[in-house]
């Protein structure tokens, strides 16, 4: 069973800054199966990135994904107030534990 | 666009069976190409995949829940359902239904809004 480990657990940044979130798999995986989600309080997760680097429909281009093998990254180039949320990576039926992005 | 909506009791007694239904609108479950899934989130915790069903009726369940889970589909109503038996307080969670893509890539989109199910006497 592949385990996904996200880091950091909590990231404190200010609007306008760049956010870099990490997702590490316990073994090498196909990037085609790596996705990222955003979840705000009281809402369902929203698909942001699939195939490690493809933006889902309607997702702003400040969100980008990259990586291969065991290491994957979600980058938010310039944080907007609405970007502060919890972010999850997903591979097949496994989710990471999440990174909370909070306002500094 | 495709939308999903969960429905069912918000309170279930211990040892009973949790039953939820997901109604799909804006698209047909029978169109193929996608699986239809249930995912849950314990309060303040991460996401746990429960299982999926294809319109043909084929299913796959999380091994950790397999003995207690049944997912079924009603294509005439464009719905799929979850049954989780012998529930305990540990099954208290927000339950989401979602469309799952597994061909070439793998993602869940869209999701229902989620429904909180509390297990308590």
């Amino acid at each position: 069973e592949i385990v996904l480990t996200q880091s950091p657990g909590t990231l404190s940044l200010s609007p306008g800054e760049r956010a870099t979130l990490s997702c590490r798999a316990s073994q090498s995986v196909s990037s085609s199966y790596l996705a990222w989600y955003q979840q705000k309080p009281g809402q369902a997760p929203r698909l942001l990135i699939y195939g490690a680097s493809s933006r889902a429909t309607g997702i702003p281009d400040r969100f980008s994904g990259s990586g291969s093998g065991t290491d994957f990254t979600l980058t938010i180039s310039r944080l907007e107030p609405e970007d502060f949320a919890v972010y999850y990576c997903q591979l097949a039926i496994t989710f990471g534990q999440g990174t909370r992005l909070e306002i500094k | 666009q495709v939308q999903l909506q969960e429905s069912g009791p918000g309170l279930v007694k211990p040892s009973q069976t949790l039953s939820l239904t997901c109604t799909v609108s804006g698209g047909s479950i029978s169109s193929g190409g996608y699986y239809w899934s249930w995912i849950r989130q314990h309060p303040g915790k991460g996401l746990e995949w429960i299982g999926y069903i294809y319109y043909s009726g084929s299913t796959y369940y999380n091994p950790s829940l397999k003995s207690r889970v049944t997912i079924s589909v009603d294509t005439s109503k464009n719905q799929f359902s979850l049954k989780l038996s012998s529930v305990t307080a540990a099954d208290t969670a927000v339950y989401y239904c979602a469309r799952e893509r597994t061909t070439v890539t793998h993602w869940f989109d869209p999701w229902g809004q989620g429904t909180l199910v509390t297990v308590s006497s």
Side-chain angles (χ1 to χ4, degrees), chain B residues 93-113:
Chain B
V94 174
Y95 287 77
Y96 296 100
C97 57
R99 184 179 66 172
E100 182 175 352
R101 178 81 177 191
T102 64
T103 306
V104 179
T105 183
H106 197 141
W107 42 256
F108 298 89
D109 181 68
W111 299 55
Q113 65 184 27

Side-chain angles (χ1 to χ4, degrees), chain B residues 9-104:
Chain B
L11 180 64
V12 181
K13 289 182 168 52
S15 80
Q16 294 190 341
T17 296
L18 177 160
S19 296
L20 296 173
T21 295
C22 183
T23 300
V24 179
S25 59
S28 173
I29 279 182
S30 302
S31 61
Y34 299 97
Y35 291 87
W36 302 92
S37 305
W38 289 97
I39 297 160
R40 69 181 182 179
Q41 186 170 35
H42 294 102
K45 302 296 184 183
L47 300 161
E48 179 182 30
W49 180 83
I50 299 171
Y52 68 47
I53 191 164
Y54 198 57
Y55 77 94
S56 61
S58 62
T59 55
Y60 183 62
Y61 303 138
N62 188 322
S64 68
L65 297 169
K66 184 177 181 179
S67 63
R68 299 193 292 128
V69 173
T70 302
I71 298 176
S72 58
V73 64
D74 185 337
T75 55
S76 67
K77 295 182 178 179
N78 223 29
Q79 295 176 332
F80 62 106
S81 298
L82 169 70
K83 291 188 185 299
L84 182 65
S85 64
S86 305
V87 298
T88 69
D91 294 307
T92 293
V94 174
Y95 287 77
Y96 296 100
C97 57
R99 184 179 66 172
E100 182 175 352
R101 178 81 177 191
T102 64
T103 306
V104 179

Side-chain angles (χ1 to χ4, degrees), chain A residues 21-35:
Chain A
L21 287 67
S22 173
C23 177
R24 175 164 292 179
S26 57
Q27 63 190 73
S28 184
V29 300
S30 168
S31 59
S32 297
Y33 295 93
L34 197 286

